[in-house]
Amino acid sequence: MPQDEPDSFSPSIPESNPNYQMPLPSPAESTSSSPPPTLLHISFNQDHGCFAAGTDHGFRIYNCDPFREIFRRDFERGGGIGVVEMLFRCNILALVGGGPDPQYPLNKVMIWDDHQSRCIGELSFRSEVRSVKLRRDRIIVVLEQKIFVYNFADLKLLHQIETIANPKGLCAVSQGVGSLVLVCPGLQKGQVRVEHYASKRTKFIMAHDSRIACFALTQDGQLLATSSTKGTLVRIFNTLDGTLLQEVRRGADRAEIYSLAFSSNAQWLAVSSDKGTVHVFNLKVNSGSARSEPRSTSDPTLPTSSLSFIKGVLPKYFSSEWSVAQFRLVEGSPYIVAFGHQKNTVVILGMDGSFYRCQFDPVNGGEMTQLEYNNFLKPEARRCNLCFLFVDESLCLPGHRILGDSSRWRWVQQRVTICFG
């Protein structure tokens, strides 16, 4: 048996329908004396309306807009969860252990049913699981050099793919009904592999000279954005024929790209990196018209260098397409980004527990406006609407009120800040 061959599986998802969606239970109240947990994992669900956090004690699920904790599960012994993958808003999740004291073995994917508050199935492998992707009809498990595709209903193995070393567990799948498109690293440096399961076609794209660092798919799987370990350029490809449709520039210095995300209509692309800035780019080709001619780079809505008129003489850098909008973050913490459900908004999640919701101007661009900030790892606090200090509503002066649901007020480090008006 090959080294990464799955050892065994326990199919038991007969009564839990992954298409069934129901309200998730209310969050468990926590005591103020509990120290904040260590964050091991964050990821958005498939429509970016929720996100999941894996900690050294369990996992938590949050709603993005409005921001609120939906529920949490803290385990008594061990508890480290290194991967949490949601399936839209239904009761089924995929869990993998993580951290110094993992709840589950690192080589197992546990299928968790939150209706029953227990695991109802598992997939075992001979090496550590790097990531998991879910669709309503498929489970995709990513190992260091192999990917397994399973049928969701009975956990039957359908396909295996070999890849180059993939320690980050890079993989993306489309979420369109009926047509599955899967993207993963190829067998060469800088290469991506695209599997079109409906047409049974495989396409290899040499996207970069350096190793692939990050990529993202549109919901329908027609457009692919890629970046390399150099982190200066992002390229957008047609997944059907591998055509390069557009190239945008994040910056001139090397950077580690943490995440890429398309807007729902594929008009915008968001990029986060270790430089502490989230960029939003205007795309030429909308999803659904990937075969059409790309918009001319002379389009005035596409920011380019002021020296682009002599691009035939000066290096390519001077004719690059730059981001329309930017949001500055504190450097040092990894951030992932997605587009919000409200128009022209992005949601940013940090491994330090930070949650930002920002809005960008699609016409004038420039610096984004911060609409909201929360730290989802710390006890919930409320702010006065006039002085914006964290307060107990009983100490707020007349004419001031507490923002948010005051019935869920919790102490902040067992101290109260008085509103000074």
Side-chain angles (χ1 to χ4, degrees):
M1 183 179 290
Q3 182 177 356
D4 288 331
E5 213 46 39
D7 287 337
S8 63
F9 63 89
S10 304
S12 56
I13 315 183
E15 300 178 357
S16 299
N17 181 0
N19 292 308
Y20 174 67
Q21 299 195 18
M22 65 160 292
L24 294 170
S26 300
E29 292 298 320
S30 64
T31 61
S32 59
S33 59
S34 301
T38 300
L39 193 58
L40 303 177
H41 167 92
I42 47 174
S43 62
F44 289 98
N45 73 339
Q46 288 79 1
D47 65 4
H48 304 151
C50 295
F51 69 94
T55 74
D56 55 349
H57 296 306
F59 64 92
R60 304 176 182 186
I61 305 298
Y62 299 86
N63 192 69
C64 290
D65 188 12
F67 172 81
R68 65 184 178 93
E69 181 181 318
I70 301 176
F71 77 95
R72 68 174 68 184
R73 296 291 175 256
D74 291 327
F75 300 109
E76 293 182 1
R77 294 183 299 274
I81 299 295
V83 175
V84 190
E85 180 72 5
M86 300 179 66
L87 180 60
F88 291 93
R89 289 175 178 264
C90 82
N91 53 298
I92 302 296
L93 302 98
L95 306 176
V96 180
D101 193 5
Q103 175 70 10
Y104 306 111
L106 305 186
N107 66 326
K108 287 188 176 183
V109 176
M110 312 301 293
I111 308 302
W112 176 274
D113 182 354
D114 208 71
H115 285 174
Q116 306 179 43
S117 293
R118 68 181 183 91
C119 292
I120 59 172
E122 67 178 58
L123 295 161
S124 299
F125 304 89
R126 297 198 177 192
S127 62
E128 292 184 10
V129 176
R130 298 302 185 186
S131 69
V132 182
K133 303 296 177 184
L134 296 183
R135 278 173 48 105
R136 289 190 168 99
D137 57 352
R138 296 289 185 269
I139 300 175
I140 296 93
V141 181
V142 184
L143 309 184
E144 179 88 21
Q145 291 185 293
K146 189 168 284 191
I147 293 176
F148 297 94
V149 180
Y150 295 88
N151 186 49
F152 205 122
D154 56 9
L155 301 186
K156 179 182 178 181
L157 180 62
L158 302 177
H159 192 205
Q160 300 181 43
I161 303 172
E162 293 187 0
T163 70
I164 197 171
N166 184 17
K168 291 184 177 180
L170 298 178
C171 182
V173 294
S174 65
Q175 296 297 331
V177 178
S179 59
L180 169 59
V181 179
L182 182 151
V183 177
C184 63
L187 290 170
Q188 302 177 38
K189 180 179 68 174
Q191 183 187 68
V192 290
R193 173 174 178 161
V194 183
E195 290 287 339
H196 293 272
Y197 284 93
S199 59
K200 298 181 180 179
R201 294 172 54 196
T202 302
K203 182 68 181 178
F204 291 93
I205 302 173
M206 284 304 303
H208 300 273
D209 295 330
S210 305
R211 285 185 175 271
I212 300 296
C214 192
F215 50 70
L217 267 178
T218 51
Q219 291 281 66
D220 60 11
Q222 291 196 26
L223 299 181
L224 169 68
T226 68
S227 65
S228 72
T229 52
K230 191 174 180 181
T232 54
L233 299 173
V234 178
R235 291 173 175 151
I236 294 88
F237 296 91
N238 181 341
T239 62
L240 294 173
D241 57 17
T243 303
L244 175 63
L245 301 174
Q246 189 173 354
E247 180 180 274
V248 297
R249 180 173 289 276
R250 179 211 56 80
D253 300 330
R254 296 183 70 99
E256 180 180 358
I257 302 297
Y258 291 135
S259 71
L260 301 170
F262 285 97
S263 62
S264 59
N265 61 0
Q267 182 182 358
W268 309 100
L269 178 74
V271 181
S272 65
S273 74
D274 65 350
K275 293 298 184 181
T277 302
V278 169
H279 295 270
V280 172
F281 296 90
N282 192 357
L283 299 184
K284 301 175 186 177
V285 181
N286 291 340
S287 186
S289 60
R291 299 183 192 182
S292 63
E293 287 296 317
R295 213 163 65 208
S296 170
T297 54
S298 62
D299 190 319
T301 64
L302 299 176
T304 58
S305 168
S306 60
L307 297 180
S308 58
F309 67 95
I310 49 174
K311 62 183 180 181
V313 179
L314 293 176
K316 192 175 182 181
Y317 172 89
F318 293 102
S319 60
S320 298
E321 294 177 28
W322 297 81
S323 60
V324 173
Q326 309 81 32
F327 185 73
R328 317 291 174 181
L329 296 157
V330 178
E331 291 188 43
S333 178
Y335 296 91
I336 63 172
V337 63
F339 285 89
H341 287 188
Q342 294 187 35
K343 192 174 182 180
N344 303 328
T345 61
V346 295
V347 175
I348 305 165
L349 306 177
M351 285 298 289
D352 57 357
S354 57
F355 171 96
Y356 295 90
R357 194 162 57 87
C358 308
Q359 188 170 43
F360 63 92
D361 186 329
V363 177
N364 299 316
E367 293 292 329
M368 296 187 219
T369 302
Q370 179 178 313
L371 302 178
E372 185 177 5
Y373 170 80
N374 289 280
N375 190 312
F376 57 85
L377 290 181
K378 294 180 180 179
E380 195 168 357
R382 301 300 178 204
R383 287 186 288 184
C384 171
N385 69 314
L386 295 183
C387 62
F388 291 96
L389 294 174
F390 289 98
V391 299
D392 181 342
E393 60 182 333
S394 64
L395 299 178
C396 206
L397 296 179
H400 292 225
R401 61 181 177 82
I402 304 301
L403 298 177
D405 181 5
S406 60
S407 65
R408 294 182 57 205
W409 161 259
R410 297 173 189 167
W411 298 90
V412 182
Q413 298 178 349
Q414 297 182 321
R415 290 180 294 180
V416 176
T417 303
I418 297 176
C419 173
F420 294 101

